[in-house]
């Protein structure tokens, strides 16, 4: 069953082709940081798409981070929406949840969304964030993460790296590590290729499979 809501204000363009969509949070709508919802246009629920929530659990809006797919169905339509536009959402679901244990968060692209939700919900003590992006503009929410994590926030720039950033992808960062703690949890979020490669590298580094929690974006 879908739930009616509307855009609370105009979208924020935070990088080329990348937007934050802000929806009014329906009354009594509950979610846990790290969960996702399906999103669709009115009368077109058969063309829904799934997105992680990018806002804190106590905020009045539901924020969605997305990049426009020129060959996609929904995102070119989303890009045109203005304040007050009607949307349909599902109840929140998903098990990509904070477990209150020391953890590495590893994300690339819009896969950072569930982690900003965790941060804004206050669930990040003991976590370290490894954040991948092509260019410096692709480190979404960088200022918030830097303030919260300090030296435990690592930016991995696959091109145009600046001083203080790791030059390479998140997979290159994993390869360069020795002695990654086996007792930590490892959260992976991003495109399928990135998640699978990171998982395999972690297993090669002797990280137990059951310590790896993955969320794949399509």
């Amino acid at each position: 069953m879908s739930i009616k809501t509307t855009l609370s204000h105009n979208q924020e363009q935070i990088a080329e082709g990348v937007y934050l969509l802000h929806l009014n949070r329906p009354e009594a709508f509950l979610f846990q940081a790290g969960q996702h919802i399906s999103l669709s246009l009115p009368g077109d629920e058969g063309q829904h798409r799934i997105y992680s929530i990018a806002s804190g659990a106590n905020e009045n809006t539901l924020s969605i981070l997305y990049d426009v797919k020129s060959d996609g169905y929904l995102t070119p339509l989303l890009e045109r929406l203005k304040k007050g536009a009607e949307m349909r959402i599902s109840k929140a679901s998903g098990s990509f949840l904070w477990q209150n244990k020391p953890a590495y968060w590893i994300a690339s692209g819009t896969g950072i969304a569930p982690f900003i939700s965790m941060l804004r919900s206050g669930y990040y003590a003991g976590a370290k964030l490894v954040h991948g992006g092509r260019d410096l503009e692709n480190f979404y929410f960088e200022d918030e993460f830097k303030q919260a994590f300090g030296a435990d926030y690592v930016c991995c720039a696959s091109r145009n790296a600046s001083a203080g950033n790791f030059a390479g992808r998140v997979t290159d960062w994993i390869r360069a590590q020795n002695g990654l703690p086996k007792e930590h949890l490892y959260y992976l979020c991003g495109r399928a290729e990135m998640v699978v490669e990171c998982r395999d590298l972690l297993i090669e580094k002797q990280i137990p499979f059951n310590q790896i929690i993955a969320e794949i974006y399509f």
Side-chain angles (χ1 to χ4, degrees), residues 68-190:
V68 178
K69 310 292 186 186
S70 58
D71 58 347
Y73 172 79
L74 186 59
T75 55
L77 300 176
L78 291 181
E79 185 181 20
R80 304 171 195 162
L81 298 181
K82 304 294 183 183
K83 179 180 178 179
E86 185 177 323
M87 298 292 300
R88 297 283 178 170
I89 62 174
S90 67
K91 292 182 178 180
S93 60
S95 57
F96 194 75
L97 305 175
W98 175 246
Q99 297 185 30
N100 198 27
K101 297 179 180 178
Y104 279 87
W105 295 351
I106 302 173
S108 63
T110 55
I112 198 65
F115 299 122
I116 193 64
S117 180
M118 291 180 191
L119 175 64
R120 291 175 175 177
S121 300
Y123 303 136
Y124 64 95
K128 303 176 187 294
L129 174 58
V130 183
H131 190 178
R134 290 183 179 177
D135 298 298
L136 300 183
E137 70 166 3
N138 300 129
F139 295 113
Y140 316 131
F141 315 110
E142 178 182 8
D143 290 342
E144 281 187 67
F145 286 124
K146 277 185 175 178
Q147 183 175 359
F149 286 88
D152 288 330
Y153 176 54
V154 180
C155 292
C156 299
S158 58
R159 64 186 184 192
N160 300 329
S162 65
N165 292 339
F166 180 86
R169 299 179 179 180
V170 292
T171 48
D172 298 318
W173 182 89
I174 295 173
R175 288 189 184 94
Q177 303 309 302
N178 293 311
L180 286 171
K182 297 178 183 179
E183 69 279 5
H184 281 42
L185 296 177
Y186 292 79
Y187 290 80
L188 310 175
C189 192

Side-chain angles (χ1 to χ4, degrees), residues 45-58:
E45 284 84 356
Q47 290 287 353
H48 68 274
R49 300 292 185 269
I50 295 174
Y51 297 95
S52 288
I53 298 169
S55 46
N58 296 316

